[in-house]
Amino acid sequence: MWSFIQKYFGWRNWAVFFYNSIFENMFVIFAIIVLQQKYGNMELCKILLFLLISIFATSYGYLINDLADRKLDRLHGKPNTFEKDTAIKSASIVISFLIGTLLLSFPFLSNIFFLVLILLWILLATIYSLPPLRLKEKGMSGLVAAAIAQRLLPIWLAFAAFHYTAPAVITIFSIYVLLRGLTSDLNHQLEDFANDVRTSTNTAVVTTSKSKIKSIFAGLLRLERVFLLLTIVITLYEARETQRIFFNLLSLAGALYCLLYIFSLFLEKRAHEDTLEAINPYSAKSIFQFLHLVFPNMILPVVILGYLVSVNFNYLIFLLFYIFIYKLYDLHTIKSSYLGKLFFKTE
C-alpha cells in the first residue's frame, strides 16, 4: 500500500503538494474563511475534504499527462511515473484517480457551479494531454488552457465550495492566480525548449519564438507582483470593519511586501544585459523568489492562520503543516532564505 501511495500520490517527489494550485494558493481559502467569519469545525472539515479532492484531481491531471507522454519522456530522457508499468495498468491507475475525484466531490455537487466547474476541470485536464486535441502542443492556446485548467478552475471551485460570491475579491484573486499559472508554465517551457525543439513538440515557446516568449514572461512576472499586492489590498478592504486583529496582522505582512516590492523595482532597473534572468523567481533565492513564491506560498497563509488559530485552536493543524512542509523548525533553512540572509550572518 505504501509503495502505491509513494509512487502514484508521491509522483515527482510529492509534487502534488508543491505544484497543486490549491496548496500553492491556500491563502485564498483561509481568506474566504476569515471574510465570511465562519470559523467552526464544520468549515475546517470542508477545507480538509476540499484539499483531498485537490490531491486526487491534481494527480489525475499530472498522471494522465504522464500516461500520454510515456514515449516523449523517454526521448527527452525524463522520468515518467508509468515508465515501468503496462499500458493497461497505467490507464487503470489514471481512471481510479478520476473516480476518486468524483466520489470525494459528492458532498459539494448539490452546488450547480461546483458541478460544472469540476466537470470542466476534468475535461480540460484530459484534452490538454490526450489526442486528438492534445492542447499542450497547440502553442499559446495550449498554454492558456493549461493555466485555466491547473490554476484558475481549482480556485473557482474553492469559491463555489465555500459559497463565496464577492465579485471584486473573486476577480482580483482570479487574475492573480491565472498570472501565477502562466508564469510557472512559461518557465517550464523555457527550460524544456531544447528538448521540445529536438522532438518537434509544439509548445508556445517553440511555435512563437524564444525571445518573444522571454519578453512576455518578464511582463507577466511584473503583472503578477502587482496583482499580489492588489489581493492584499482588496482583502484588507473587505475586512476593514469586522476583524480588527486580522486587519492589523495582514497590514504588517502587506507593509513588508510593499517595502520589498519597491526595493525590487530598483534592482530590476539596475539590471542591464539579462533583465529576465535577474527577475526570474525560479532561477535563484532572490528578492524576486521571495515576492513570487515564498510570500504567497508561506508568509501569507501563515499570517492568516495565526489569526484563525486565535479564533479556533483546531486550525493549528494547518499551521503545523506549514511548519513541517517548509521546515520552519530548522534554523539553517531560515538562515539560508532571502530574509534570513538579510538578518543573519552567513559563513
Side-chain angles (χ1 to χ4, degrees):
M1 176 61 76
W2 174 245
S3 62
F4 179 91
I5 293 173
Q6 193 171 29
K7 181 175 182 179
Y8 300 113
F9 282 96
W11 43 268
R12 302 184 192 179
N13 197 25
W14 298 97
V16 69
F17 294 113
F18 297 98
Y19 299 102
N20 177 330
S21 181
I22 298 301
F23 280 87
E24 279 185 351
N25 299 289
M26 276 295 288
F27 76 89
V28 175
I29 294 179
F30 297 143
I32 291 172
I33 297 299
V34 173
L35 294 178
Q36 289 186 321
Q37 300 184 65
K38 294 180 179 179
Y39 309 116
N41 291 330
M42 183 62 73
E43 295 301 306
L44 190 148
C45 290
K46 284 176 65 176
I47 295 174
L48 291 173
L49 178 58
F50 189 74
L51 291 178
L52 193 56
I53 294 170
S54 80
I55 290 172
F56 269 81
T58 302
S59 294
Y60 169 75
Y62 278 93
L63 290 176
I64 199 171
N65 182 68
D66 270 14
L67 176 64
D69 284 358
R70 291 172 72 194
K71 292 182 180 179
L72 191 62
D73 285 345
R74 196 178 301 120
L75 289 172
H76 282 188
K78 294 168 62 177
N80 187 292
T81 307
F82 300 115
E83 58 190 357
K84 295 180 181 179
D85 294 331
T86 64
I88 293 176
K89 181 181 179 181
S90 302
S92 299
I93 294 296
V94 172
I95 291 171
S96 69
F97 275 87
L98 172 59
I99 294 171
T101 301
L102 293 173
L103 290 176
L104 289 167
S105 299
F106 187 77
F108 297 106
L109 295 184
S110 59
N111 184 331
I112 187 63
F113 294 108
F114 189 95
L115 175 60
V116 171
L117 289 169
I118 194 71
L119 292 177
L120 186 57
W121 186 5
I122 291 169
L123 175 65
L124 277 177
T126 303
I127 65 177
Y128 175 76
S129 298
L130 293 184
L133 292 179
R134 196 163 162 78
L135 294 179
K136 70 180 296 180
E137 293 187 4
K138 301 298 182 183
M140 194 62 72
S141 60
L143 177 72
V144 174
I148 292 173
Q150 298 172 6
R151 316 286 176 155
L152 193 54
L153 285 176
I155 292 302
W156 284 352
L157 275 168
F159 288 125
F162 294 92
H163 301 279
Y164 189 78
T165 57
V169 174
I170 292 175
T171 300
I172 296 297
F173 279 38
S174 297
I175 295 172
Y176 167 66
V177 169
L178 180 61
L179 288 169
R180 284 198 82 182
L182 289 170
T183 55
S184 176
D185 289 345
L186 275 178
N187 179 67
H188 287 306
Q189 289 194 11
L190 286 168
E191 289 178 343
D192 288 343
F193 176 73
N195 283 330
D196 289 333
V197 169
R198 181 167 56 85
T199 55
S200 300
T201 305
N202 295 321
T203 61
V205 183
V206 173
T207 57
T208 311
S209 74
K210 193 172 183 180
S211 59
K212 187 174 181 179
I213 290 297
K214 279 187 171 183
S215 177
I216 293 172
F217 183 34
L220 290 175
L221 285 172
R222 296 183 184 102
L223 273 177
E224 184 184 327
R225 294 196 296 275
V226 171
F227 270 90
L228 178 53
L229 182 59
L230 290 177
T231 63
I232 298 170
V233 171
I234 194 69
T235 305
L236 286 170
Y237 178 80
E238 291 292 321
R240 68 194 184 284
E241 295 179 354
T242 53
Q243 298 97 335
R244 180 55 56 184
I245 297 175
F246 170 72
F247 182 89
N248 292 338
L249 284 173
L250 188 58
S251 294
L252 289 174
L256 171 65
Y257 184 85
C258 282
L259 287 173
L260 292 177
Y261 174 72
I262 293 169
F263 183 48
S264 74
L265 295 178
F266 287 105
L267 293 179
E268 183 178 352
K269 193 172 182 181
R270 286 172 54 188
H272 297 296
E273 294 184 4
D274 194 344
T275 303
L276 176 58
E277 184 62 27
I279 68 172
N280 188 348
Y282 301 97
S283 60
K285 285 185 178 181
S286 64
I287 188 172
F288 297 97
Q289 186 217 34
F290 181 86
L291 293 174
H292 285 270
L293 301 175
V294 177
F295 189 87
N297 289 7
M298 185 183 70
I299 303 295
L300 202 48
V302 166
V303 167
I304 301 175
L305 277 172
Y307 173 75
L308 285 173
V309 171
S310 72
V311 179
N312 183 344
F313 190 72
N314 290 328
Y315 279 91
L316 183 64
I317 186 175
F318 294 116
L319 192 56
L320 291 175
F321 170 81
Y322 278 92
I323 291 172
F324 173 76
I325 205 76
Y326 290 109
K327 297 182 179 179
L328 299 180
Y329 56 82
D330 181 16
L331 189 59
H332 175 74
T333 300
I334 296 172
K335 285 184 175 181
S336 63
S337 66
Y338 175 76
L339 283 185
K341 289 177 181 177
L342 291 180
F343 292 104
F344 297 98
K345 269 190 175 182
T346 55
E347 295 182 4

